Short mmCIF file of all heavy atoms in Angstrom, two decimals:
data_model
loop_
_atom_site.label_atom_id
_atom_site.label_comp_id
_atom_site.label_asym_id
_atom_site.label_seq_id
_atom_site.Cartn_x
_atom_site.Cartn_y
_atom_site.Cartn_z
N MET A 35 21.73 7.67 1.94
CA MET A 35 20.78 6.90 1.10
C MET A 35 19.98 7.85 0.24
O MET A 35 19.32 8.75 0.75
CB MET A 35 19.86 6.10 2.01
CG MET A 35 19.07 5.05 1.25
SD MET A 35 18.39 3.77 2.32
CE MET A 35 17.12 4.66 3.20
N PRO A 36 20.05 7.70 -1.06
CA PRO A 36 19.31 8.62 -1.94
C PRO A 36 17.81 8.45 -1.80
O PRO A 36 17.30 7.33 -1.69
CB PRO A 36 19.78 8.22 -3.35
CG PRO A 36 20.28 6.82 -3.21
CD PRO A 36 20.77 6.67 -1.79
N GLU A 37 17.15 9.56 -1.76
CA GLU A 37 15.70 9.55 -1.60
C GLU A 37 15.05 9.55 -2.99
O GLU A 37 15.00 10.57 -3.65
CB GLU A 37 15.27 10.78 -0.80
CG GLU A 37 13.89 10.69 -0.22
CD GLU A 37 13.78 9.68 0.92
OE1 GLU A 37 14.82 9.28 1.47
OE2 GLU A 37 12.66 9.31 1.24
N THR A 38 14.62 8.40 -3.43
CA THR A 38 14.06 8.32 -4.77
C THR A 38 12.61 7.90 -4.74
O THR A 38 12.15 7.12 -5.55
CB THR A 38 14.85 7.32 -5.64
OG1 THR A 38 14.97 6.08 -4.94
CG2 THR A 38 16.23 7.84 -5.97
N LEU A 39 11.91 8.41 -3.74
CA LEU A 39 10.49 8.07 -3.63
C LEU A 39 9.71 8.69 -4.78
O LEU A 39 9.69 9.89 -4.97
CB LEU A 39 9.93 8.60 -2.32
CG LEU A 39 10.14 7.73 -1.08
CD1 LEU A 39 9.36 8.33 0.08
CD2 LEU A 39 9.68 6.32 -1.33
N THR A 40 9.06 7.83 -5.51
CA THR A 40 8.15 8.35 -6.52
C THR A 40 6.75 7.95 -6.10
O THR A 40 6.56 7.04 -5.31
CB THR A 40 8.45 7.76 -7.91
OG1 THR A 40 8.43 6.35 -7.82
CG2 THR A 40 9.81 8.23 -8.40
N ASN A 41 5.81 8.61 -6.63
CA ASN A 41 4.43 8.32 -6.25
C ASN A 41 3.54 8.22 -7.48
O ASN A 41 2.68 9.06 -7.69
CB ASN A 41 3.93 9.39 -5.29
CG ASN A 41 2.59 9.00 -4.71
OD1 ASN A 41 2.13 7.87 -4.86
ND2 ASN A 41 1.93 9.94 -4.06
N PRO A 42 3.77 7.22 -8.29
CA PRO A 42 2.93 7.07 -9.48
C PRO A 42 1.52 6.71 -9.07
O PRO A 42 1.34 5.99 -8.08
CB PRO A 42 3.59 5.92 -10.24
CG PRO A 42 4.34 5.14 -9.21
CD PRO A 42 4.74 6.12 -8.15
N PRO A 43 0.55 7.20 -9.77
CA PRO A 43 -0.83 6.89 -9.41
C PRO A 43 -1.11 5.40 -9.56
O PRO A 43 -0.49 4.73 -10.39
CB PRO A 43 -1.65 7.71 -10.39
CG PRO A 43 -0.74 8.01 -11.52
CD PRO A 43 0.64 8.04 -10.95
N LEU A 44 -2.00 4.91 -8.76
CA LEU A 44 -2.41 3.51 -8.89
C LEU A 44 -3.20 3.34 -10.17
O LEU A 44 -4.01 4.19 -10.53
CB LEU A 44 -3.26 3.12 -7.69
CG LEU A 44 -2.51 3.08 -6.36
CD1 LEU A 44 -3.50 3.07 -5.21
CD2 LEU A 44 -1.61 1.89 -6.28
N THR A 45 -2.94 2.26 -10.87
CA THR A 45 -3.65 2.00 -12.11
C THR A 45 -4.38 0.66 -12.02
O THR A 45 -4.23 -0.07 -11.05
CB THR A 45 -2.67 1.93 -13.30
OG1 THR A 45 -1.91 0.74 -13.19
CG2 THR A 45 -1.75 3.13 -13.31
N ALA A 46 -5.11 0.36 -13.05
CA ALA A 46 -5.85 -0.91 -13.09
C ALA A 46 -4.90 -2.10 -13.10
O ALA A 46 -5.28 -3.22 -12.79
CB ALA A 46 -6.75 -0.95 -14.31
N ALA A 47 -3.63 -1.84 -13.46
CA ALA A 47 -2.65 -2.93 -13.50
C ALA A 47 -2.12 -3.24 -12.11
O ALA A 47 -1.46 -4.26 -11.91
CB ALA A 47 -1.51 -2.55 -14.42
N ASP A 48 -2.37 -2.34 -11.15
CA ASP A 48 -1.91 -2.57 -9.79
C ASP A 48 -2.92 -3.44 -9.06
O ASP A 48 -4.09 -3.08 -8.96
CB ASP A 48 -1.74 -1.24 -9.05
CG ASP A 48 -0.56 -0.45 -9.60
OD1 ASP A 48 0.51 -1.05 -9.76
OD2 ASP A 48 -0.73 0.75 -9.86
N ARG A 49 -2.44 -4.56 -8.54
CA ARG A 49 -3.33 -5.55 -7.94
C ARG A 49 -2.97 -5.79 -6.48
O ARG A 49 -1.80 -5.83 -6.13
CB ARG A 49 -3.24 -6.87 -8.70
CG ARG A 49 -3.75 -6.78 -10.12
CD ARG A 49 -5.26 -6.67 -10.11
NE ARG A 49 -5.78 -6.12 -11.37
CZ ARG A 49 -7.06 -5.81 -11.54
NH1 ARG A 49 -7.92 -5.98 -10.57
NH2 ARG A 49 -7.46 -5.32 -12.68
N CYS A 50 -3.99 -6.00 -5.68
CA CYS A 50 -3.78 -6.34 -4.27
C CYS A 50 -2.88 -7.58 -4.16
O CYS A 50 -3.11 -8.57 -4.85
CB CYS A 50 -5.13 -6.59 -3.61
SG CYS A 50 -5.01 -7.17 -1.91
N ASP A 51 -1.87 -7.48 -3.29
CA ASP A 51 -0.96 -8.61 -3.11
C ASP A 51 -1.65 -9.81 -2.46
O ASP A 51 -1.16 -10.93 -2.52
CB ASP A 51 0.22 -8.19 -2.22
CG ASP A 51 1.16 -7.24 -2.95
OD1 ASP A 51 1.19 -7.28 -4.19
OD2 ASP A 51 1.84 -6.47 -2.27
N ARG A 52 -2.76 -9.55 -1.82
CA ARG A 52 -3.43 -10.62 -1.07
C ARG A 52 -4.51 -11.33 -1.87
O ARG A 52 -4.65 -12.53 -1.80
CB ARG A 52 -4.05 -10.04 0.21
CG ARG A 52 -3.05 -9.58 1.23
CD ARG A 52 -2.27 -10.74 1.82
NE ARG A 52 -1.27 -10.29 2.78
CZ ARG A 52 -0.02 -10.01 2.45
NH1 ARG A 52 0.38 -10.12 1.20
NH2 ARG A 52 0.83 -9.61 3.36
N CYS A 53 -5.30 -10.57 -2.63
CA CYS A 53 -6.46 -11.20 -3.26
C CYS A 53 -6.56 -10.92 -4.75
O CYS A 53 -7.41 -11.49 -5.42
CB CYS A 53 -7.73 -10.76 -2.54
SG CYS A 53 -8.14 -9.04 -2.81
N GLY A 54 -5.71 -10.04 -5.28
CA GLY A 54 -5.74 -9.79 -6.70
C GLY A 54 -6.78 -8.78 -7.17
O GLY A 54 -6.91 -8.52 -8.36
N ALA A 55 -7.50 -8.19 -6.23
CA ALA A 55 -8.45 -7.14 -6.60
C ALA A 55 -7.67 -5.87 -6.96
O ALA A 55 -6.48 -5.77 -6.70
CB ALA A 55 -9.40 -6.86 -5.44
N GLY A 56 -8.35 -4.92 -7.55
CA GLY A 56 -7.70 -3.67 -7.91
C GLY A 56 -7.12 -2.99 -6.68
O GLY A 56 -7.78 -2.89 -5.65
N ALA A 57 -5.86 -2.56 -6.77
CA ALA A 57 -5.20 -1.95 -5.61
C ALA A 57 -5.73 -0.55 -5.33
O ALA A 57 -5.97 0.22 -6.27
CB ALA A 57 -3.70 -1.91 -5.83
N ARG A 58 -5.90 -0.23 -4.07
CA ARG A 58 -6.31 1.11 -3.66
C ARG A 58 -5.24 1.78 -2.82
O ARG A 58 -5.27 2.99 -2.63
CB ARG A 58 -7.60 1.02 -2.81
CG ARG A 58 -8.79 0.54 -3.57
CD ARG A 58 -9.51 1.68 -4.25
NE ARG A 58 -10.45 1.18 -5.24
CZ ARG A 58 -10.57 1.69 -6.45
NH1 ARG A 58 -9.82 2.69 -6.82
NH2 ARG A 58 -11.42 1.19 -7.29
N VAL A 59 -4.31 0.99 -2.31
CA VAL A 59 -3.29 1.53 -1.42
C VAL A 59 -1.92 0.97 -1.81
O VAL A 59 -1.79 -0.23 -2.06
CB VAL A 59 -3.59 1.16 0.06
CG1 VAL A 59 -2.42 1.55 0.97
CG2 VAL A 59 -4.88 1.84 0.51
N ARG A 60 -0.94 1.85 -1.90
CA ARG A 60 0.44 1.42 -2.10
C ARG A 60 1.25 1.82 -0.88
O ARG A 60 1.21 2.96 -0.45
CB ARG A 60 1.04 2.07 -3.35
CG ARG A 60 2.54 1.81 -3.48
CD ARG A 60 3.17 2.55 -4.65
NE ARG A 60 2.83 1.90 -5.91
CZ ARG A 60 2.19 2.52 -6.91
NH1 ARG A 60 1.84 3.75 -6.82
NH2 ARG A 60 1.92 1.86 -8.02
N ALA A 61 1.97 0.86 -0.34
CA ALA A 61 2.80 1.13 0.83
C ALA A 61 4.24 0.73 0.53
O ALA A 61 4.49 -0.30 -0.09
CB ALA A 61 2.29 0.35 2.04
N LEU A 62 5.17 1.58 0.97
CA LEU A 62 6.59 1.28 0.80
C LEU A 62 7.16 0.83 2.13
O LEU A 62 6.94 1.47 3.16
CB LEU A 62 7.34 2.52 0.30
CG LEU A 62 6.96 3.03 -1.08
CD1 LEU A 62 7.77 4.28 -1.41
CD2 LEU A 62 7.17 1.96 -2.14
N LEU A 63 7.91 -0.26 2.10
CA LEU A 63 8.55 -0.75 3.31
C LEU A 63 9.89 -0.06 3.49
O LEU A 63 10.52 0.34 2.51
CB LEU A 63 8.77 -2.26 3.19
CG LEU A 63 7.48 -3.08 3.09
CD1 LEU A 63 7.80 -4.52 2.71
CD2 LEU A 63 6.72 -3.02 4.40
N PRO A 64 10.31 0.08 4.75
CA PRO A 64 11.61 0.74 5.02
C PRO A 64 12.75 0.06 4.27
O PRO A 64 13.70 0.70 3.85
CB PRO A 64 11.78 0.58 6.53
CG PRO A 64 10.41 0.34 7.06
CD PRO A 64 9.63 -0.35 5.97
N GLY A 65 12.66 -1.24 4.07
CA GLY A 65 13.71 -1.97 3.37
C GLY A 65 13.68 -1.79 1.86
O GLY A 65 14.56 -2.25 1.16
N GLY A 66 12.63 -1.16 1.35
CA GLY A 66 12.58 -0.88 -0.08
C GLY A 66 11.50 -1.65 -0.81
O GLY A 66 11.27 -1.42 -1.97
N GLY A 67 10.86 -2.59 -0.14
CA GLY A 67 9.80 -3.33 -0.80
C GLY A 67 8.55 -2.50 -0.97
O GLY A 67 8.40 -1.44 -0.37
N GLU A 68 7.67 -2.99 -1.79
CA GLU A 68 6.42 -2.29 -2.05
C GLU A 68 5.26 -3.26 -1.88
O GLU A 68 5.33 -4.42 -2.29
CB GLU A 68 6.45 -1.77 -3.49
CG GLU A 68 5.20 -0.98 -3.86
CD GLU A 68 5.24 -0.55 -5.33
OE1 GLU A 68 4.81 -1.33 -6.19
OE2 GLU A 68 5.71 0.55 -5.59
N LEU A 69 4.20 -2.78 -1.25
CA LEU A 69 3.03 -3.60 -1.06
C LEU A 69 1.82 -2.90 -1.66
O LEU A 69 1.69 -1.69 -1.57
CB LEU A 69 2.77 -3.84 0.43
CG LEU A 69 3.84 -4.62 1.19
CD1 LEU A 69 3.55 -4.58 2.68
CD2 LEU A 69 3.90 -6.06 0.71
N LEU A 70 0.95 -3.69 -2.27
CA LEU A 70 -0.28 -3.15 -2.83
C LEU A 70 -1.46 -3.84 -2.16
O LEU A 70 -1.45 -5.06 -1.97
CB LEU A 70 -0.32 -3.39 -4.34
CG LEU A 70 0.73 -2.64 -5.16
CD1 LEU A 70 0.78 -3.18 -6.58
CD2 LEU A 70 0.45 -1.15 -5.19
N PHE A 71 -2.45 -3.06 -1.80
CA PHE A 71 -3.63 -3.63 -1.16
C PHE A 71 -4.90 -3.06 -1.76
O PHE A 71 -4.96 -1.88 -2.11
CB PHE A 71 -3.64 -3.30 0.34
CG PHE A 71 -2.53 -3.96 1.11
CD1 PHE A 71 -1.52 -3.19 1.66
CD2 PHE A 71 -2.50 -5.33 1.29
CE1 PHE A 71 -0.50 -3.79 2.38
CE2 PHE A 71 -1.48 -5.93 2.02
CZ PHE A 71 -0.48 -5.16 2.56
N CYS A 72 -5.92 -3.88 -1.82
CA CYS A 72 -7.26 -3.37 -2.10
C CYS A 72 -7.75 -2.68 -0.83
O CYS A 72 -7.10 -2.74 0.22
CB CYS A 72 -8.19 -4.53 -2.47
SG CYS A 72 -8.47 -5.71 -1.14
N GLY A 73 -8.88 -2.02 -0.89
CA GLY A 73 -9.38 -1.31 0.27
C GLY A 73 -9.58 -2.24 1.45
O GLY A 73 -9.22 -1.91 2.59
N HIS A 74 -10.15 -3.41 1.18
CA HIS A 74 -10.42 -4.37 2.25
C HIS A 74 -9.14 -4.78 2.97
O HIS A 74 -9.06 -4.74 4.20
CB HIS A 74 -11.11 -5.60 1.65
CG HIS A 74 -11.28 -6.73 2.61
ND1 HIS A 74 -12.32 -6.77 3.50
CD2 HIS A 74 -10.54 -7.84 2.84
CE1 HIS A 74 -12.21 -7.89 4.23
NE2 HIS A 74 -11.14 -8.55 3.85
N HIS A 75 -8.13 -5.15 2.21
CA HIS A 75 -6.90 -5.61 2.83
C HIS A 75 -6.06 -4.48 3.39
O HIS A 75 -5.28 -4.68 4.32
CB HIS A 75 -6.10 -6.47 1.83
CG HIS A 75 -6.68 -7.86 1.70
ND1 HIS A 75 -7.31 -8.29 0.57
CD2 HIS A 75 -6.76 -8.87 2.61
CE1 HIS A 75 -7.74 -9.54 0.78
NE2 HIS A 75 -7.43 -9.90 2.00
N ALA A 76 -6.20 -3.29 2.83
CA ALA A 76 -5.51 -2.14 3.40
C ALA A 76 -6.02 -1.91 4.82
O ALA A 76 -5.25 -1.69 5.75
CB ALA A 76 -5.73 -0.91 2.55
N ASN A 77 -7.34 -1.98 4.98
CA ASN A 77 -7.91 -1.81 6.31
C ASN A 77 -7.41 -2.91 7.24
O ASN A 77 -7.05 -2.66 8.39
CB ASN A 77 -9.44 -1.87 6.24
CG ASN A 77 -10.02 -0.65 5.55
OD1 ASN A 77 -9.40 0.40 5.52
ND2 ASN A 77 -11.21 -0.79 5.00
N GLU A 78 -7.38 -4.13 6.72
CA GLU A 78 -7.00 -5.27 7.53
C GLU A 78 -5.54 -5.19 7.97
O GLU A 78 -5.18 -5.61 9.06
CB GLU A 78 -7.23 -6.54 6.70
CG GLU A 78 -7.28 -7.81 7.52
CD GLU A 78 -7.70 -8.99 6.65
OE1 GLU A 78 -8.83 -8.95 6.14
OE2 GLU A 78 -6.89 -9.91 6.47
N HIS A 79 -4.69 -4.65 7.11
CA HIS A 79 -3.25 -4.67 7.39
C HIS A 79 -2.69 -3.32 7.83
O HIS A 79 -1.49 -3.20 8.06
CB HIS A 79 -2.49 -5.14 6.16
CG HIS A 79 -2.72 -6.58 5.82
ND1 HIS A 79 -2.15 -7.61 6.52
CD2 HIS A 79 -3.52 -7.16 4.90
CE1 HIS A 79 -2.57 -8.76 6.02
NE2 HIS A 79 -3.41 -8.52 5.04
N GLU A 80 -3.56 -2.34 7.97
CA GLU A 80 -3.07 -0.99 8.25
C GLU A 80 -2.24 -0.94 9.53
O GLU A 80 -1.18 -0.32 9.59
CB GLU A 80 -4.25 -0.03 8.36
CG GLU A 80 -3.84 1.43 8.24
CD GLU A 80 -5.03 2.32 7.89
OE1 GLU A 80 -6.16 1.95 8.23
OE2 GLU A 80 -4.79 3.38 7.29
N GLU A 81 -2.72 -1.62 10.56
CA GLU A 81 -2.00 -1.59 11.83
C GLU A 81 -0.61 -2.22 11.69
O GLU A 81 0.37 -1.72 12.21
CB GLU A 81 -2.82 -2.35 12.88
CG GLU A 81 -2.59 -1.86 14.29
CD GLU A 81 -3.70 -2.34 15.20
OE1 GLU A 81 -4.87 -2.00 14.94
OE2 GLU A 81 -3.39 -3.07 16.14
N ARG A 82 -0.58 -3.32 10.97
CA ARG A 82 0.68 -4.03 10.72
C ARG A 82 1.65 -3.13 9.93
O ARG A 82 2.85 -3.10 10.20
CB ARG A 82 0.38 -5.31 9.95
CG ARG A 82 1.61 -6.11 9.60
CD ARG A 82 2.13 -6.92 10.78
NE ARG A 82 3.36 -7.62 10.42
CZ ARG A 82 4.48 -7.60 11.14
NH1 ARG A 82 4.51 -6.94 12.28
NH2 ARG A 82 5.54 -8.25 10.75
N LEU A 83 1.11 -2.41 8.97
CA LEU A 83 1.95 -1.52 8.18
C LEU A 83 2.60 -0.47 9.07
O LEU A 83 3.77 -0.13 8.91
CB LEU A 83 1.12 -0.83 7.09
CG LEU A 83 0.64 -1.75 5.96
CD1 LEU A 83 -0.28 -0.97 5.02
CD2 LEU A 83 1.81 -2.33 5.19
N ARG A 84 1.81 0.03 10.03
CA ARG A 84 2.36 1.02 10.95
C ARG A 84 3.45 0.40 11.81
O ARG A 84 4.48 1.02 12.07
CB ARG A 84 1.26 1.61 11.83
CG ARG A 84 0.77 2.96 11.34
CD ARG A 84 -0.03 3.67 12.41
NE ARG A 84 -1.30 2.98 12.65
CZ ARG A 84 -2.42 3.23 11.97
NH1 ARG A 84 -2.44 4.16 11.07
NH2 ARG A 84 -3.52 2.56 12.22
N GLU A 85 3.22 -0.83 12.24
CA GLU A 85 4.20 -1.51 13.09
C GLU A 85 5.55 -1.66 12.40
O GLU A 85 6.59 -1.53 13.02
CB GLU A 85 3.69 -2.92 13.45
CG GLU A 85 2.75 -2.92 14.65
CD GLU A 85 2.16 -4.31 14.87
OE1 GLU A 85 2.81 -5.30 14.50
OE2 GLU A 85 1.06 -4.37 15.41
N VAL A 86 5.52 -1.97 11.11
CA VAL A 86 6.78 -2.17 10.39
C VAL A 86 7.27 -0.87 9.76
O VAL A 86 8.20 -0.87 8.97
CB VAL A 86 6.65 -3.27 9.31
CG1 VAL A 86 6.24 -4.59 9.95
CG2 VAL A 86 5.66 -2.87 8.23
N LYS A 87 6.63 0.23 10.13
CA LYS A 87 7.04 1.56 9.66
C LYS A 87 6.95 1.72 8.15
O LYS A 87 7.74 2.42 7.53
CB LYS A 87 8.48 1.88 10.13
CG LYS A 87 8.71 1.72 11.62
CD LYS A 87 8.78 3.07 12.31
CE LYS A 87 9.23 2.93 13.76
NZ LYS A 87 8.16 2.27 14.57
N ALA A 88 5.99 1.05 7.56
CA ALA A 88 5.77 1.22 6.14
C ALA A 88 5.15 2.60 5.90
O ALA A 88 4.46 3.13 6.75
CB ALA A 88 4.84 0.13 5.61
N THR A 89 5.42 3.15 4.73
CA THR A 89 4.89 4.46 4.37
C THR A 89 3.81 4.27 3.31
O THR A 89 4.07 3.72 2.24
CB THR A 89 6.00 5.35 3.80
OG1 THR A 89 7.07 5.40 4.73
CG2 THR A 89 5.47 6.76 3.55
N ILE A 90 2.63 4.73 3.61
CA ILE A 90 1.56 4.67 2.62
C ILE A 90 1.72 5.85 1.68
O ILE A 90 1.58 7.00 2.08
CB ILE A 90 0.18 4.66 3.30
CG1 ILE A 90 0.01 3.34 4.06
CG2 ILE A 90 -0.93 4.84 2.27
CD1 ILE A 90 -1.27 3.23 4.86
N VAL A 91 2.06 5.56 0.43
CA VAL A 91 2.35 6.63 -0.51
C VAL A 91 1.16 6.90 -1.44
O VAL A 91 1.15 7.89 -2.15
CB VAL A 91 3.60 6.32 -1.35
CG1 VAL A 91 4.83 6.34 -0.46
CG2 VAL A 91 3.47 4.99 -2.06
N ALA A 92 0.22 5.99 -1.48
CA ALA A 92 -0.98 6.24 -2.27
C ALA A 92 -2.16 5.61 -1.52
O ALA A 92 -2.08 4.48 -1.08
CB ALA A 92 -0.85 5.63 -3.66
N ASP A 93 -3.18 6.37 -1.37
CA ASP A 93 -4.36 5.86 -0.66
C ASP A 93 -5.59 6.38 -1.36
O ASP A 93 -5.96 7.53 -1.24
CB ASP A 93 -4.32 6.33 0.79
CG ASP A 93 -5.44 5.67 1.61
OD1 ASP A 93 -6.41 5.16 1.03
OD2 ASP A 93 -5.32 5.68 2.85
N GLU A 94 -6.21 5.51 -2.13
CA GLU A 94 -7.38 5.92 -2.92
C GLU A 94 -8.64 5.27 -2.39
O GLU A 94 -9.63 5.13 -3.11
CB GLU A 94 -7.15 5.58 -4.39
CG GLU A 94 -5.97 6.36 -4.95
CD GLU A 94 -5.71 6.01 -6.43
OE1 GLU A 94 -6.51 5.29 -7.00
OE2 GLU A 94 -4.70 6.50 -6.96
N ARG A 95 -8.61 4.86 -1.14
CA ARG A 95 -9.80 4.23 -0.57
C ARG A 95 -10.99 5.17 -0.56
O ARG A 95 -12.12 4.76 -0.75
CB ARG A 95 -9.51 3.74 0.86
CG ARG A 95 -8.82 2.39 0.88
CD ARG A 95 -8.44 2.02 2.28
NE ARG A 95 -7.36 2.87 2.78
CZ ARG A 95 -6.86 2.78 4.00
NH1 ARG A 95 -7.34 1.91 4.84
NH2 ARG A 95 -5.89 3.56 4.39
N ALA A 96 -10.71 6.46 -0.35
CA ALA A 96 -11.78 7.43 -0.28
C ALA A 96 -12.38 7.71 -1.64
O ALA A 96 -13.48 8.25 -1.76
CB ALA A 96 -11.27 8.72 0.35
N ALA A 97 -11.66 7.34 -2.69
CA ALA A 97 -12.07 7.70 -4.04
C ALA A 97 -13.07 6.70 -4.63
O ALA A 97 -13.51 6.87 -5.76
CB ALA A 97 -10.85 7.81 -4.95
N VAL A 98 -13.36 5.67 -3.90
CA VAL A 98 -14.26 4.64 -4.44
C VAL A 98 -15.69 5.17 -4.51
O VAL A 98 -16.19 5.67 -3.53
CB VAL A 98 -14.23 3.36 -3.58
CG1 VAL A 98 -15.16 2.32 -4.19
CG2 VAL A 98 -12.83 2.82 -3.49
ZN1 ZN B 176 -7.22 -7.61 -1.24
#
């Protein structure tokens, strides 16, 4: 399986999948999907992300 992980910075166009706020975290799923979360929802779903072995490729929660 080719490793084509890119890590583009989060922009204002990136929106939380849950509430539509500006995304602070991007997570890649093992199956290839991508999830975007605001800080609030990233915290809320972090455990779940670990359970499904998602990889957090961008985390700008600290940058707020
Ligand atoms: Zn959110």
Side-chain angles (χ1 to χ4, degrees):
M35 193 162 70
E37 197 70 17
T38 51
L39 276 187
T40 55
N41 189 11
L44 292 164
T45 71
D48 291 313
R49 294 288 160 187
C50 175
D51 289 335
R52 292 292 178 269
C53 69
R58 295 272 166 225
V59 172
R60 171 185 285 121
L62 295 179
L63 296 169
E68 181 183 87
L69 296 171
L70 294 168
F71 294 112
C72 65
H74 173 82
H75 283 110
N77 290 336
E78 198 172 298
H79 291 284
E80 197 161 27
E81 208 163 301
R82 179 78 183 130
L83 290 175
R84 260 196 292 272
E85 276 174 27
V86 300
K87 307 255 189 291
T89 306
I90 292 176
V91 293
D93 187 341
E94 297 179 6
R95 277 174 291 178
V98 181

